[in-house]
């Protein structure tokens, strides 16, 4: 369902009408998004498993240093997810495969780090703050419906902002990379 929603949102942002149900395209996009998730999971496991083994061995000698190793490992994993955050946008906006999407996201983050960090922090603040609001509103059935609708509305706006950020920053990239990541349509 998320794939269908993101494809429709990306189509609206690109100004393209999606007059017919294109199951092949959605299947390709779903497969690419799934491949990105599996690639990220694989890299995370390749980092986390050895790091946790080392941290456990070091904990026998120095528990404090072991905690520092785990904190550095979690920071590395967060950095991995942060730098790959525009790969999903690359798939739905530019119709690229998973590897090209990950590389485009990495390059986009290098070129627009502070803007991307600001977008991430702003989105996190909005969602965290509104979760408190939705908890107080959702004390009845009517409040629950309002909270669900409000949350969906705000989340849709944040997803659209992420896609617009990707689209605008992609247009500023050097021609060589932007040609690689642009849609074939």
């Amino acid at each position: 369902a998320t794939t269908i929603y993101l494809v429709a949102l990306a189509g609206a942002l690109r100004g393209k009408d999606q007059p017919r149900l294109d199951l092949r395209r959605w299947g390709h996009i779903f497969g690419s998004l799934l491949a990105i998730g599996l690639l990220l999971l694989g890299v995370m496991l390749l980092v986390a498993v050895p790091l946790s083994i080392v941290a456990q061995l070091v904990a026998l000698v120095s528990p404090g240093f072991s905690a520092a190793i785990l904190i550095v490992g979690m920071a590395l994993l967060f950095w991995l997810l942060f730098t790959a955050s525009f790969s999903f946008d690359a798939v739905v906006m530019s119709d690229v495969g998973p590897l090209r999407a990950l590389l485009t996201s990495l390059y986009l983050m290098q070129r627009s780090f502070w803007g991307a960090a600001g977008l991430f922090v702003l989105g996190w603040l909005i969602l965290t703050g509104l979760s408190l609001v939705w908890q107080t509103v959702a004390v009845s059935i009517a409040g629950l419906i309002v909270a669900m609708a409000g949350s969906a509305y705000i989340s849709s706006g944040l997803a659209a902002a992420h896609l617009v950020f990707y689209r605008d920053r992609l247009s500023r990239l050097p021609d060589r990379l932007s040609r690689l990541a642009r849609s074939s349509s």
Side-chain angles (χ1 to χ4, degrees):
T2 303
T3 303
I4 295 169
Y5 173 74
L6 283 176
V7 169
L9 185 59
L13 289 172
R14 285 189 299 198
K16 293 184 178 181
D17 293 329
Q18 305 278 333
R20 62 182 175 83
L21 185 64
D22 189 358
L23 292 177
R24 280 181 94 190
R25 181 169 182 265
W26 284 346
H28 172 71
I29 289 172
F30 177 76
S32 293
L33 295 177
L34 183 63
I36 289 169
L38 291 174
L39 282 168
L40 290 175
L41 180 63
V43 171
M44 289 173 67
L45 287 174
L46 284 173
V47 170
V49 171
L51 202 60
S52 65
I53 291 171
V54 168
Q56 288 179 0
L57 292 174
V58 169
L60 298 172
V61 177
S62 173
F65 189 60
S66 175
I69 290 173
L70 289 176
I71 290 171
V72 168
M74 288 191 310
L76 285 171
L77 294 177
F78 175 77
W79 183 256
L80 172 71
L81 292 174
F82 182 64
T83 57
S85 65
F86 287 102
S87 58
F88 297 110
D89 300 334
V91 170
V92 297
M93 290 291 284
S94 300
D95 293 328
V96 295
L99 293 176
R100 189 171 292 166
L102 286 166
L103 290 174
T104 302
S105 178
L106 176 65
Y107 192 77
L108 196 73
M109 291 299 284
Q110 284 180 328
R111 298 291 180 196
S112 303
F113 174 78
W114 291 111
L119 179 66
F120 175 80
V121 169
L122 183 62
W124 180 78
L125 287 173
I126 289 170
L127 291 176
T128 302
L130 284 176
S131 71
L132 299 173
V133 172
W134 303 139
Q135 287 175 5
T136 59
V137 170
V139 293
S140 66
I141 297 295
L144 181 62
I145 292 170
V146 168
M148 287 171 52
S151 179
Y153 182 76
I154 298 298
S155 296
S156 296
L158 289 172
H162 210 265
L163 291 169
V164 168
F165 184 92
Y166 169 81
R167 181 192 64 196
D168 291 348
R169 294 309 189 275
L170 181 66
S171 67
R172 297 179 191 171
L173 291 178
D175 285 338
R176 181 175 156 258
L177 183 67
S178 62
R179 275 194 313 266
L180 288 174
R182 286 203 204 286
S183 172
S184 59
S185 52

